[in-house]
Amino acid sequence: MNVRSARDVIQSRLVVDSRIPLARGEPRVGDRPIATGGSGSGRVFQERALTPVDVDRLEFYLTEYDRPLDADLLVQGFRDGFRLGYQGPRVRRRAENLRSVRGKEELVQQKLAKEVQEGRMAGPFSVWPLRNLTVSPIGVVPKKERGQFRLIHHLSWPEGSSVNDFILEALTKVSYASVDVAVTMVEQLGLGALMAKTDIKALIRTLAGG
């Protein structure tokens, strides 16, 4: 999908309340105005990022989870979007893409268009869609598979004033269950217990942002 078709997808997804007049220079996609979330604008994007997770079913399975606060966090996050925990200044900032993009512009364009098509990104925009939009560089890094690349969003740029610099460290750490925990669970369940291992493709992209 090219940039033009990506723009068509956005035009069909983002609409604005026609009762609210648009000032000159308001954000547009192609020749159509879009909704914004700037202070005092009175308008917001009408669609959040999408997730393939069946939230109602997830909520059902978590009804007896022994950590109800975590269960509520998961359900609310998948339903309304997970918060980054950003506590920094809300300022407009531009950024140049990483050098790794050079020579791979068509590949990057295809990856971005796919994100738009899946409802996980919005754009391209002819002008700034938000008055205080902070832009972070994008780049590509090679995957283990030969000739395959992963699109990255460099939220740690620039050092000292990046998006990541204003997220509490406690919110940036992830801990996974160990093999010892799995063994203990099997011992508790006893003879006949079954184990399974799964790998979710593009896991991070199932998490909608709020």
Side-chain angles (χ1 to χ4, degrees):
M1 187 172 77
N2 56 31
V3 171
R4 183 174 182 179
S5 56
R7 181 180 294 116
D8 293 339
V9 171
I10 289 301
Q11 288 178 342
S12 66
R13 284 186 173 276
L14 300 180
V15 295
V16 67
D17 190 336
S18 60
R19 296 169 298 178
I20 304 175
L22 286 168
R24 179 178 300 176
E26 286 280 3
R28 292 175 174 271
V29 179
D31 60 353
R32 293 182 56 186
I34 65 168
T36 66
S39 176
S41 69
R43 289 164 290 163
V44 295
F45 288 110
Q46 294 193 8
E47 286 198 34
R48 295 184 183 275
L50 305 179
T51 176
V53 175
D54 186 330
V55 184
D56 292 334
R57 179 169 295 185
L58 174 67
E59 186 174 24
F60 171 78
Y61 284 125
L62 289 175
T63 52
E64 297 184 8
Y65 190 52
D66 60 359
R67 299 167 67 175
L69 292 180
D70 289 342
D72 289 342
L73 176 65
L74 285 171
V75 172
Q76 183 178 351
F78 278 111
R79 181 167 286 152
D80 300 323
F82 290 91
R83 309 293 293 183
L84 281 177
Y86 177 79
Q87 298 181 1
R90 308 283 176 165
V91 295
R92 177 184 293 194
R93 183 173 65 204
R94 294 180 179 272
E96 296 292 331
N97 289 328
L98 303 179
R99 293 180 181 178
S100 58
V101 169
R102 297 176 185 175
K104 300 181 179 65
E105 290 83 358
E106 184 176 350
L107 171 67
V108 171
Q109 186 180 91
Q110 292 173 355
K111 288 183 174 293
L112 291 174
K114 181 180 179 181
E115 294 301 303
V116 171
Q117 187 178 36
E118 295 292 334
R120 298 187 292 239
M121 284 187 178
F125 302 104
S126 58
V127 296
W128 289 75
L130 299 172
R131 296 182 180 88
N132 56 356
L133 178 66
T134 296
V135 177
S136 299
I138 60 173
V140 289
V141 295
K143 294 183 178 180
K144 293 181 180 179
E145 300 86 353
R146 185 179 180 85
Q148 298 296 312
F149 294 87
R150 176 179 290 105
L151 185 71
I152 62 171
H153 195 189
H154 193 7
L155 297 180
S156 293
W157 181 94
E159 185 177 356
S161 60
S162 69
V163 171
N164 284 342
D165 284 324
F166 292 99
I167 298 177
L168 294 177
E169 186 176 356
L171 300 178
T172 64
K173 296 182 177 180
V174 177
S175 60
Y176 298 95
S178 66
V179 174
D180 290 340
V181 171
V183 171
T184 299
M185 293 175 65
V186 172
E187 289 179 339
Q188 292 173 344
L189 292 172
L191 187 65
L194 300 176
M195 294 182 64
K197 178 181 181 297
T198 61
D199 184 15
I200 302 176
K201 184 178 181 180
L203 174 62
I204 194 65
R205 289 180 171 82
T206 68
L207 307 178

